[in-house]
Amino acid sequence: MPIPFILLAFCSCSQKSDVVPVHPVVQDTTKPFVYNYASLADSLQTATYNTFISADRNYFVQNNAGNTAFNYWPQAHMLDVLTDGYLRTKATMYTARMKALLNGIAVTNGGAYPNEFYDDMGWLANACMRDYNILQDPAYLTVAQTLYSQIQGAENSVAGGGIAWQRTQLYYKNIAATGNATILAARFYELQANPSDLALAQNLYTWMKTTLVSSTGLVYDGINRNQDGAIDNWDFTYNQGLFIGSAVELYNCTKNAGYLQDAILTANNLIADPNLTVNGILKSEGQGDGGLFKGVAVRYLTNLVELTALDDADRTKYVAFLQRNAQSLYVKGIARPSLMISPDWTMQPSGSTDFTTQLSGVMMIEAAAALKTAGDIQ
């Protein structure tokens, strides 16, 4: 994934009353408003697929305004979004689309899965590990293993450790590459119980925590981009999400409460830091790469909420934050009838919509649907 420039199925419900309206949401203040997240998720899945699928059906295009370029890393997140739909509905339509996308990525990427960027490969490897654990389809595990071997080769001692961002810049380390690698190594350990995978995950995590995480839990972006040892202290939401996700995975592996406390510290900062959250809503990070950042934060904060070891007070706090974001997006941030999503979840989209921006919104609504099914939100 290039450095971001941020200055980035019709409804399956059987009753007609369950279908999300295709006109702007108007709240009747005389009665409680009902947020039908599952129905909206169905509609968004359909609109996203139909709007952004490429002409050859192998990948999803850059935007809804004619840019048909292939961008590797959002494809991984679309695989995750399709998986969200499958987990919610168990509809085989989703597994068919997942497999078509998995195959289509390789076709479009020159016949193979590895590419220039180690963070790109990490996103896809983690999506594939998730799908293997759900479906037990060895094709997903094969892709994850292929990419994991590539990523392991990007670890070096420059800047004290971590995973390089790309093949031609092995001195530059960031959270996008290292956080993904940490999560991936931990998941391989959970699957195969190879001690070297756990050791790698723990070493990478320690490097992130000591190098790029502040005492408040704020996670910075990277280090040594210009070979001067300087830290890029950009406040991106997805870095917070990746560190939370890394801590959760290592807690799952070890039951070491220190990892859980790290996740809580960063989550508390995420929901309160005005450079990340504005009036309780995750900030707009523009379109392009930045359009996807909030979705990553939402996914891994939701994973923390789902952790049974999390105490009730923290769970209640994070659930309320996620619900507030979902409600704002539901009512204010989605255009009807197009169902295109704004990078700012407090207002309607304007102009074209990037695929990345669309994905973040779908992730939020799918997360809300899952939380509502679990009884965490109304």
Side-chain angles (χ1 to χ4, degrees):
M1 180 190 71
I3 294 177
F5 289 90
I6 303 176
L7 300 168
L8 164 271
F10 289 97
C11 176
S12 63
C13 301
S14 59
Q15 297 183 8
K16 185 177 180 181
S17 61
D18 288 336
V19 178
V20 173
V22 294
H23 48 74
V25 173
V26 178
Q27 297 193 46
D28 181 350
T29 57
T30 66
K31 60 183 68 174
F33 185 80
V34 177
Y35 293 91
N36 193 334
Y37 294 114
S39 180
L40 179 56
D42 276 339
S43 299
L44 287 172
Q45 288 272 5
T46 297
T48 301
Y49 185 88
N50 290 342
T51 301
F52 295 98
I53 189 67
S54 63
D56 63 8
R57 322 298 279 185
N58 282 328
Y59 69 99
F60 292 84
V61 302
Q62 197 95 342
N63 65 24
N64 66 343
N67 185 338
T68 61
F70 170 74
N71 189 0
Y72 187 108
W73 84 289
Q75 312 305 318
H77 293 278
M78 184 60 179
L79 188 56
D80 264 330
V81 161
L82 291 169
T83 304
D84 294 337
Y86 172 72
L87 289 174
R88 179 172 48 80
T89 67
K90 296 301 186 287
T92 56
M93 171 191 73
Y94 286 108
T95 54
R97 289 178 175 179
M98 289 157 60
K99 197 60 168 292
L101 177 56
L102 182 70
N103 294 332
I105 291 170
V107 169
T108 313
N109 193 54
Y113 292 99
N115 83 342
E116 166 69 16
F117 297 95
Y118 291 107
D119 61 334
D120 283 11
M121 291 186 279
W123 298 117
L124 183 56
N126 274 312
C128 287
M129 279 295 285
R130 181 186 183 211
D131 288 339
Y132 174 72
N133 286 329
I134 293 166
L135 301 173
Q136 296 298 297
D137 182 338
Y140 293 100
L141 182 59
T142 297
V143 175
Q145 289 171 325
T146 296
L147 296 175
Y148 186 36
S149 66
Q150 297 278 319
I151 292 164
Q152 286 173 296
E155 184 188 20
N156 62 56
S157 61
V158 178
I163 297 292
W165 176 52
Q166 63 173 318
R167 298 179 192 276
T168 56
Q169 205 174 10
L170 296 175
Y171 52 83
Y172 172 46
K173 311 298 180 60
N174 64 12
I175 294 294
T178 308
N180 267 305
T182 303
I183 293 168
L184 185 61
R187 288 177 176 175
F188 266 105
Y189 175 74
E190 291 177 85
L191 179 67
Q192 300 174 341
N194 186 333
S196 65
D197 293 325
L198 179 59
L200 176 60
Q202 290 177 314
N203 288 340
L204 294 175
Y205 182 89
T206 298
W207 178 84
M208 287 192 294
K209 182 178 177 180
T210 58
T211 307
L212 292 173
V213 182
S214 77
S215 61
T216 67
L218 175 64
V219 183
Y220 298 124
D221 188 72
I223 188 171
N224 206 41
R225 181 167 47 90
N226 296 314
Q227 301 186 71
D228 55 4
I231 290 175
D232 294 321
N233 57 353
W234 302 323
D235 297 333
F236 295 149
T237 58
Y238 81 147
N239 290 325
Q240 321 312 306
L242 279 168
F243 188 72
I244 291 168
S246 297
V248 167
E249 289 295 341
L250 278 167
Y251 176 78
N252 287 336
C253 290
T254 67
K255 304 307 178 192
N256 182 331
Y259 292 121
L260 180 55
Q261 291 308 308
D262 289 346
I264 290 168
L265 183 65
T266 293
N268 286 343
N269 186 73
L270 170 66
I271 69 175
D273 188 333
N275 292 316
L276 297 167
T277 297
V278 181
N279 296 323
I281 306 298
L282 289 164
K283 69 176 182 179
S284 171
E285 292 168 278
Q287 297 210 71
D289 285 332
L292 234 172
F293 289 179
K294 288 199 293 287
V296 175
V298 164
R299 183 170 301 284
Y300 287 116
L301 183 60
T302 303
N303 285 358
L304 176 59
V305 165
E306 293 170 342
L307 200 63
T308 56
L310 186 68
D311 68 57
D312 289 342
D314 286 321
R315 178 175 292 103
T316 298
K317 179 169 54 180
Y318 304 147
V319 164
F321 176 79
L322 289 166
Q323 178 172 258
R324 180 168 181 163
N325 277 265
Q327 289 178 344
S328 182
L329 174 60
Y330 193 114
V331 175
K332 300 177 181 178
I334 302 174
R336 272 84 171 178
S338 69
L339 296 181
M340 293 295 99
I341 294 172
S342 173
D344 184 337
W345 292 350
T346 68
M347 63 179 60
Q348 287 283 288
S350 176
S352 64
T353 299
D354 285 355
F355 180 50
T356 49
T357 303
Q358 186 76 9
L359 286 171
S360 276
V362 183
M363 290 180 200
M364 180 71 262
I365 298 302
E366 284 285 10
L371 291 170
K372 187 166 184 175
T373 297
D376 291 320
I377 65 174
Q378 299 301 312

